[in-house]
Amino acid sequence: MENHQTAFWKACMLLTLFLMNQAAEAQVSFGKPSLFNEGWLFSLSDHPSAKQPDFEDTEWRQLNLPHDWSSEGELSPKNASCTGYLPAGIAWYRKHFQYVPSKDFPLSYLYFEGVYNRSEVYLNGHLLGKRPNGYISFMYELTPYLKKGENVLAVRVDHSRNADSRWYTGSGIYRDVWLVKAGEMHLSQWGTSYRLLSEENGNATVEVTSRMEHARGKSLRGLQLNVTLQDADGQTVATKKSIINVVGERVHTDTLTVRNARLWSVKRPYLYRMKTTLSKQGRLLDENEVKVGLRTLEFDADHGFALNGEWMKVKGVCLHHDAGVLGAVVPREVWRRKIGQLKEMGANAIRMSHNPQAPVVYDLCDELGMLVLDEASDEWEFPKRKWVEGWNVGTPSYDGTFDFFEEWIDRDVTDMVRRDRNHPSVFLWSIGNEVDYPNDPYSHPILDGDGASINQPMFGGYKPEQPHAERIGKIAQRLAADVRAVDISRPVTGALAGVVMSNQTAYPDAIDVVGYNYTENRYDTDHQLYPKRILYGSETGVGFDSWKAVRDKEHIFGQFIWTGTDYLGESGRWPSRGLNTGLLDFNSFKKPRGWFRASLWSPKPVTYIGTYKIPQQPRWRNALSTDAQDDWNYQEGDSIRVVCYTNAAKAHLLLNGKEIGETKAYDNHTGVISWDVLYQPGTLCAEGLDAAGNVISAYAIHTVGEAVNFRLSRLDEKQEAVSVHQVLVELLDDTGHLATQDRRDIACEVSGDGLFLGMENADNRDMSGYKNTHRSAYRGRLVVYVQRTGIGEIRLTFKAKGLKDTSLFIPSR
């Protein structure tokens, strides 16, 4: 263990040197930020005196942040299924650091992007504050308790309520931490914001709000506030200079005019950069930079949603925040690939389910052109069921976050909006998800009547002993007011699970746009009953009918599919790591249902084929699966159903180069073209044809054998400044095709300037440890994550029984 810690500490030091060359950009928008991730100590146990600076911690584990200790634990059926059968607990982090007072920057702050959860932060034994919400970013001032020389930070993280969520949360300081140095007179945390007031004839009018403060409440006169907007090429397109006086705190508003403005959209996500400086008599006091996207939003009860005046359908997915074996610590490179894959299949929106996520996710959505529905919480004043024996089975737990709702929810919602309001990708603020789930916990007499039309399970009819549903409306009014107090440029929404019940409350009227979860059968009825209500599918299944309910109804502006990717938690009975409802798997590869969705959403030609034995049960014999794997390994003479997902006008099928069956037209009833054929080994290919019969897309599958060698490649080669590499390991048969039937164990050794993070095979039933250096292949492949710890070469060597050892070299920087 000691040798392992020594090696890890060396890697930490090398990483520090590497990160010094990387651009640091904190999200607090004031002062001089620097990453504060390196050189922490960790103990997975509760030490009541660990907050004291003289506490003995020399035997503690040394690590860098971000860190998720749950992902390092042993998966066990004794743990809760709702969070993926991984452990939690209570832990402490400590950091020793040197402080040298600075005349120019006398103030110091510590900014946490997220700590899960119920954190307490101490400096030199003094409590800086507590923040129970594990998804909210927060900041404390260090200055009053800093001393020249060595200082000690201590963070207690209490995730002893393991089953406090319906999905995997992770445990610990799982996002970045920043040290911010500032002068006494500085811009405020999240204090710079903007909104587009109007856009006409190519000219945009932009309102910019700057909040500034003197940390000691003093008054200063004659300050100069400069706001400069630059285009993507660095050319100044607008500027404003103001002379202002500050009495403790000041909010100042400017208006900029941008000629020939370029708008941000999902097709062309153009970003400006706005620089704000605060100075006095030529001496710079503070500055920040904010990326700016100019766009207009319009919502209409009859016509749906328009971005920049263009009516469009929102093709959205719901996303949780984990990435398989990486747990809750998801590097930018992994997020970039995940979002890029969703974008490539035609998605244009993401719902942050069901909490604010890491700042990097919003940055990437800004850059890549993905709309964002930002969401505050999954639970309000009472707990929901948390399934601990399997998804929706057994006896539930009632742990949760409800116990700090009343004290913190207004601040949490406010901080979410203040933190994320500068992202042009954010187009809706959601105050909650499924808080109106019938009898979980709220109830209403209507559940004994029309409540039968609710699509989701209700756990019985009206239960007068449960909290009355009218409470939902009052809370919704309160939280919607919190949002509007900070931002009026975007609508407030909520995701309703019990629409029939909520219609009896003030909830739908308290929000601007109303989301329906799995309630497509109410779209037309409620459009007639409530003609001013703006509707969309805030959470839907992947079925074709759910999409047609959006595509064919002008008044329904979009849907958010459950889910964009497979995720940990909400697991079935052991063995099951998560709920594999994703369009993408844990490695962000398209699953068959992802291909099906691409055939519905993608503007590019799409064709895919999957196969399965024709069901013998009469009930399923004519069913057409949208989850069919691209396998062509059966017994000769087997009766096989071939399903084709395509956006072509028609398609035909070729077996070993010869057409079999008939050319078939696209089926608008099912979205699937199918053929029933007798199996013969070889190559099966479907070709998508346009109306004239020209081939516009194709997909081939092959009969494959056992693996004979490896194929190694990098999934991140096109990304710049990579700090975490994603290496794809594939097993190939003797014809060079992916050996999808081969599940042999693969071991990985990493040397050079790299640190092994994990191997992900995307198999939901693989319950082996997430930090193991070997793992079985699934469908012939897996992905290895390696963190760069320096500027030198990284070598990865792979071994498997019966195969020749093979290495991949990642060159030095």
Side-chain angles (χ1 to χ4, degrees), residues 470-727:
E470 67 179 11
R471 301 172 66 98
I472 304 172
K474 296 177 181 179
I475 295 174
Q477 291 170 335
R478 167 184 162 190
L479 300 186
D482 289 337
V483 174
R484 295 176 186 128
V486 181
D487 180 42
I488 59 172
S489 69
R490 304 166 175 90
V492 181
T493 188
L496 278 59
V499 174
V500 173
M501 183 176 73
S502 286
N503 282 343
Q504 306 302 309
T505 76
Y507 188 5
D509 290 333
I511 55 182
D512 306 303
V513 177
V514 185
Y516 283 16
N517 284 13
Y518 308 101
T519 319
E520 291 87 353
N521 65 320
R522 300 289 308 186
Y523 284 170
D524 290 339
T525 301
D526 283 9
H527 183 52
Q528 294 178 356
L529 290 173
Y530 313 103
K532 295 183 179 180
R533 183 176 295 181
I534 302 169
L535 295 173
Y536 70 104
S538 45
E539 189 171 315
T540 76
V542 298
F544 190 32
D545 287 342
S546 295
W547 170 238
K548 286 193 288 186
V550 176
R551 184 195 67 182
D552 300 339
K553 299 181 188 299
E554 186 179 5
H555 64 284
I556 304 298
F557 71 75
Q559 68 172 166
F560 288 87
I561 290 174
W562 194 262
T563 54
T565 68
D566 288 350
Y567 62 95
L568 301 177
E570 290 196 275
S571 305
R573 288 192 184 275
W574 178 278
S576 170
R577 292 195 279 155
L579 195 61
N580 55 345
T581 56
L583 303 178
L584 306 177
D585 65 20
F586 285 121
N587 278 324
S588 296
F589 287 111
K590 282 199 292 288
K591 295 164 60 178
R593 60 177 53 193
W595 281 101
F596 179 68
R597 185 55 44 173
S599 74
L600 303 179
W601 282 358
S602 177
K604 301 176 182 178
V606 173
T607 292
Y608 167 92
I609 50 171
T611 68
Y612 51 94
K613 288 186 178 181
I614 298 175
Q616 297 304 306
Q617 303 92 332
R619 179 183 177 185
W620 302 109
R621 186 168 181 81
N622 296 320
L624 298 177
S625 174
T626 55
D627 289 308
Q629 295 286 0
D630 53 351
D631 291 328
W632 195 237
N633 278 66
Y634 299 96
Q635 296 295 316
E636 197 153 356
D638 282 348
S639 296
I640 305 300
R641 176 155 297 152
V642 181
V643 287
C644 176
Y645 316 146
T646 185
N647 54 12
K650 49 191 175 180
H652 63 194
L653 193 64
L654 303 131
L655 178 59
N656 296 324
K658 296 182 179 180
E659 187 169 352
I660 58 173
E662 59 180 311
T663 300
K664 294 189 175 182
Y666 182 82
D667 187 342
N668 192 50
H669 178 67
T670 64
V672 178
I673 299 173
S674 69
W675 300 267
D676 291 347
V677 303
L678 295 178
Y679 173 74
Q680 294 179 30
T683 298
L684 185 72
C685 178
E687 294 180 333
L689 313 173
D690 63 17
N694 301 306
V695 177
I696 58 173
S697 55
Y699 196 95
I701 58 179
H702 313 275
T703 304
V704 297
E706 293 186 352
V708 297
N709 55 42
F710 291 107
R711 179 168 63 195
L712 310 177
S713 58
R714 286 174 52 192
L715 298 173
D716 53 69
E717 283 191 296
K718 294 182 179 180
Q719 297 187 34
E720 297 180 0
V722 175
S723 60
V724 174
H725 296 281
Q726 304 165 72
V727 176

Side-chain angles (χ1 to χ4, degrees), residues 330-372:
V330 185
R332 179 186 180 91
E333 296 86 351
V334 176
W335 269 118
R336 185 178 185 87
R337 181 167 173 269
K338 188 193 302 282
I339 297 171
Q341 288 286 85
L342 292 167
K343 179 91 174 178
E344 188 271 336
M345 74 168 60
N348 60 21
I350 292 173
R351 178 184 176 209
M352 303 302 188
S353 307
H354 303 288
N355 45 263
Q357 299 208 22
V360 66
V361 187
Y362 302 83
D363 290 340
L364 287 168
C365 289
D366 292 343
E367 295 171 16
L368 298 176
M370 291 287 268
L371 294 166
V372 169

